[in-house]
Amino acid sequence: LVGLPDLMIMPNEISVNSVLSAFEKDAPWQLSLAQLEQMAEVALEADTVSFSAAITVCDQQAAWPTAVGLLEDMARLRIHQNAISYNAAVSACRKGDRWQEVVGLLHEMTLQGHLPDENSYSASISTCGRCSQGLLALQLLEEMCSSRLPTNEICCNAAVSACERMGAECAVAARQ
């Protein structure tokens, strides 16, 4: 990005966002952060697409603290957060088995007016399941069904597995 003016090519938001999206393949997440910082150096404004792409790079590499930090930066900078940015952060937290963060992001997503989708719930239920949070996994599965979103095998199996780990307590809750 910084070298483009030397080639007499002036970067713009579209070209930078394209580079950030290309990073989703296999670039280190630190490179996407550097790209965001360089945007300001050349007087370009990072937007929803820029941040969402950077968060997705963090998701690909399970860099959950950075993904959550970028989502917080979006709010601080008054950059519109959307389902894509939230789902990428949720997915990054899922990869780190950070069930508290996943559930918090799901809740925050709803408060911000973004409806969680199958990906949001699937990642949340799966994380709760892996982290032995069976009651919470069941609650999220119930929310998903109440939202009239299609459930999938991953969600159901994750909730069942979490309940198996918890034993009788979860079985009693499931019957209620």
Side-chain angles (χ1 to χ4, degrees):
L1 180 64
V2 173
L4 287 179
D6 295 340
L7 300 172
M8 298 188 17
I9 299 171
M10 294 309 297
N12 61 26
E13 286 84 356
I14 295 171
S15 61
V16 175
N17 288 345
S18 295
V19 169
L20 283 166
S21 292
F23 287 167
E24 292 175 20
K25 303 287 185 240
D26 62 358
W29 61 266
Q30 295 90 338
L31 197 54
S32 66
L33 289 184
Q35 192 75 30
L36 283 176
E37 290 171 5
Q38 286 179 2
M39 286 182 79
E41 292 173 17
V42 294
L44 296 175
E45 282 192 41
D47 59 11
T48 302
V49 175
S50 313
F51 273 90
S52 294
I55 293 169
T56 300
V57 172
C58 293
D59 167 31
Q60 298 298 326
Q61 298 173 31
W64 68 267
T66 305
V68 171
L70 287 170
L71 196 63
E72 291 169 352
D73 288 346
M74 289 177 78
R76 184 178 47 76
L77 296 169
R78 300 185 193 275
I79 296 172
H80 177 72
Q81 301 159 311
N82 61 17
I84 295 169
S85 52
Y86 272 102
N87 281 343
V90 165
S91 181
C93 291
R94 176 187 60 82
K95 290 175 181 168
D97 286 334
R98 305 299 299 187
W99 68 269
Q100 298 96 330
E101 286 80 2
V102 166
V103 173
L105 287 171
L106 191 69
H107 180 66
E108 181 183 316
M109 183 180 189
T110 305
L111 290 176
Q112 294 299 323
H114 305 293
L115 295 176
D117 60 15
E118 301 92 77
N119 294 326
S120 316
Y121 278 109
S122 183
S124 301
I125 293 167
S126 175
T127 305
C128 289
R130 279 200 319 269
C131 296
S132 299
Q133 298 299 314
L135 297 176
L136 191 50
L138 284 177
Q139 179 185 346
L140 292 172
L141 186 61
E142 183 179 330
E143 278 180 31
M144 185 178 187
C145 292
S146 296
S147 300
R148 302 214 189 280
L149 290 170
T151 57
N152 59 38
E153 202 172 305
I154 294 170
C155 294
C156 294
N157 286 342
V160 168
S161 293
C163 282
E164 286 175 346
R165 283 188 205 103
M166 290 185 66
E169 177 187 348
C170 195
V172 169
R175 287 189 190 119
Q176 295 176 351

